[in-house]
Structures are given as C-alpha cells and as structure tokens.
Amino acid sequence: MKLLRIGSVGAERPALLDASGTLRDLSGLVPDIDGDLLADAAAMDRLRVAAEGGALPELPGGGEGEAESLRVGPPLGRIGKIVCIGLNYHDHARETGAAVPAEPIVFMKAPDTVVGPHDTVLIPRGSEKTDWEVELAVVIGRTARYLGSHEEALASVAGYAVANDVSERAFQIERGGQWDKGKNCETFNPLGPWLVTADEVPDPQALDLRLWVNGELRQDGTSAEQIFPVAEVVRYLSQFMTLYPGDVINTGTPAGVAMGMAEPKPYLRDGDVVEVEIEGLGRQRQLLKSA
C-alpha cells in the first residue's frame, strides 16, 4: 500500500493512493497514519481489504489528474524519533575523502524537522553551506530491542519513504560539538510523499536514488552501495536503543552532495529548487527560501 496524509499543516487526514492514481480517504477507518496504526496488524489488514475491495471513498479533489492540487503532508504522524546513519555509502565516503566506518555512524534528528515532501525548505540565517541528501527512510512498525538477526530486523520494518536529509555543513562540521547543529534546523527533513508498506519493497538494497538541483542531476545512486544495509542498520541500532512503531531511520546518502564537489561548491541558495526521487517510493520537490 501507498499511504499518505493530505491537508494543511497540522490538519492532515489519512489517505491511500490506489493503483489508478486516485487518492482514497481513510479517515472513516483510521484516525491517522502513525505508529499506533502500523503496530496494529488487524487494522493494517482492514486497510488492505478495503483497498482491494474498491469501497474506499475518493478524497475530494483527489481524483486521477486532480491530486496535484492537494497539499501532501509527511506520510507519518506523531513520529517518535529520527535516527540517522552517516557515511553509509561507499561512493559518498570516497567523494568526501572519509574512511569507511567500522560501525555505523549514528546521530539524531528531531521529529519537528519533518515537513511535507513539497513544502518550502528554509535556509538558516547565517548559512553558507546548506546541502542536500537524498536518503531511503525506514519506518519501524514493531518494537525492536536487541534483535538477533537480519530476518528479525526486516520483520520490524513497516515500510519505506523518501527523505531529504538537508544539512548545513558549516554548522555540522566547523562549529565544534556534534553533527546535530547542522542537521536540526527548521524544515530540514522533507519526508514522503508516501509510506510504502514493506510488502511492496521486496529488496531495500535494490533501489535507485536520484536528486536534482534546478533541473541538474546531482545524485544518481543505488541502495546497493550502502556500507551497512537496512537489515544490519535496524539490527545494530536495536542493540543501543529501543526502536518503536513510528520511529524513522534515515539510512544515509549516495555520492553527489555539494560538500563532495570541487570548489566553488554549489551549496543551496534562496530560490533553488530541489527534486528528490527513489524508485517506487515517489518524488519530492522543494523550493528553498531564506529563513
């Protein structure tokens, strides 16, 4: 299933995108798309039956060819935590001159950095090095602690989504302390458009990831380049923290970020447009504006 949330900020309603491209209203069945829903196998089965039965009402304005007029919010409400993996692609490590890490590099993003996939992204005041990062986001659907195998790890995954892990490199690297200062600025985690359930993604290590800036292709990678694959990332994290339904893991970015390019590096500026896409998971578009 392709689950999403439609409506103005703070008033999104749950929806489903059917095979014809029509938005279907889920608000008569569930209050929201969140961790509680993802952890409820019976409720998820009811959604599947309703979707397959063709009885779900069409969302007003959500017919085929009309849906673009509706705001798409983040596909997940009430996110618990966002755990991020740094330097998790072989080609990205090479372009930045970094050594391949022996264990996953872990940092956190606050849930309030999340915005919809087409919402405006704000360049922070004082920023000179705002950067882009297309990432495969993993959404947890089952409580995971001390997992013992990759099979258990993948069984804990409810689905996948597109994320743009927007980063301010000077804040992240040049200002001392941890990476968090460059990762937690307002609007720095566009998510969506859809939460695609795990049954529609048979191999998370076989997805193409692309990102364009002002129409120019900047990132063109594959999740097969991940140093630590999705199953290992989930298993590994569960040794250090409990993962709960509704938690999100950003699993790293492939080569092609501004930081890895020759001088003058083309960091993002007011008026730039970033488009982000992962095979089967949908496409984002953000306009950059100064905060």
Side-chain angles (χ1 to χ4, degrees):
M1 294 185 291
K2 293 180 173 66
L3 304 175
L4 65 165
R5 299 165 72 244
I6 300 294
S8 58
V9 177
E12 295 92 348
R13 61 197 301 179
L16 178 145
L17 184 72
D18 70 15
S20 73
T22 299
L23 291 175
R24 300 291 177 179
D25 190 354
L26 296 181
S27 58
L29 293 178
V30 295
D32 203 356
I33 298 167
D34 57 16
D36 289 344
L37 172 64
L38 300 178
D40 188 338
M44 292 294 288
D45 286 343
R46 286 196 296 271
L47 291 188
R48 288 189 178 89
V49 170
E52 292 167 0
L56 290 170
E58 185 176 311
L59 198 67
E64 186 176 6
E66 299 178 308
E68 290 183 3
S69 64
L70 300 175
R71 175 187 177 265
V72 180
L76 186 66
R78 297 195 303 150
I79 294 170
K81 57 181 172 285
I82 304 172
V83 189
C84 304
I85 308 300
L87 288 174
N88 195 31
Y89 280 71
H90 289 283
D91 54 2
H92 179 48
R94 287 194 297 268
E95 74 171 345
T96 59
V100 172
E103 296 190 36
I105 296 172
V106 180
F107 63 94
M108 309 287 282
K109 280 189 121 165
D112 62 12
T113 60
V114 172
V115 293
H118 312 308
D119 289 348
T120 298
V121 168
L122 299 175
I123 297 174
R125 295 180 185 180
S127 168
E128 294 293 336
K129 297 182 179 181
T130 295
D131 206 347
W132 58 82
E133 293 189 20
V134 56
E135 302 213 6
L136 172 64
V138 175
V139 180
I140 299 298
R142 184 185 302 176
T143 300
R145 55 168 64 88
Y146 300 114
L147 298 177
S149 69
H150 287 178
E151 290 75 18
E152 286 182 286
L154 290 178
S156 302
V157 174
Y160 302 90
V162 182
N164 183 0
D165 176 22
V166 186
S167 307
E168 212 299 337
R169 302 302 189 186
F171 296 178
Q172 175 189 351
I173 298 168
E174 301 171 19
R175 299 288 296 272
Q178 298 182 340
W179 286 8
D180 296 42
K181 292 195 295 293
K183 295 287 189 174
N184 281 277
C185 304
E186 184 180 9
T187 73
F188 264 27
N189 205 125
L191 187 67
W194 316 317
L195 192 169
V196 180
T197 51
D199 58 294
E200 292 197 15
V201 185
D203 184 1
Q205 306 312 135
L207 300 175
D208 294 330
L209 302 86
R210 297 185 179 90
L211 182 145
W212 297 259
V213 180
N214 299 326
E216 183 174 352
L217 183 64
R218 293 296 195 183
Q219 291 184 275
D220 186 4
T222 169
S223 58
E225 274 281 300
Q226 287 187 340
I227 297 166
F228 304 102
V230 167
E232 174 58 14
V233 165
V234 175
R235 187 209 65 80
Y236 179 87
L237 291 175
S238 77
Q239 312 305 308
F240 301 95
M241 63 187 77
T242 303
L243 300 171
Y244 293 102
D247 287 350
V248 174
I249 304 169
N250 287 347
T251 58
T253 197
V257 298
M259 181 176 64
M261 295 182 181
E263 297 288 353
K265 299 179 190 296
Y267 288 113
L268 295 168
R269 297 289 182 259
D270 188 303
D272 285 346
V273 174
V274 175
E275 296 171 278
V276 188
E277 182 178 66
I278 298 180
E279 177 186 4
L281 303 185
R283 189 178 179 104
Q284 304 181 351
R285 182 184 187 276
Q286 297 111 32
L287 174 66
L288 278 290
K289 289 187 176 181
S290 297

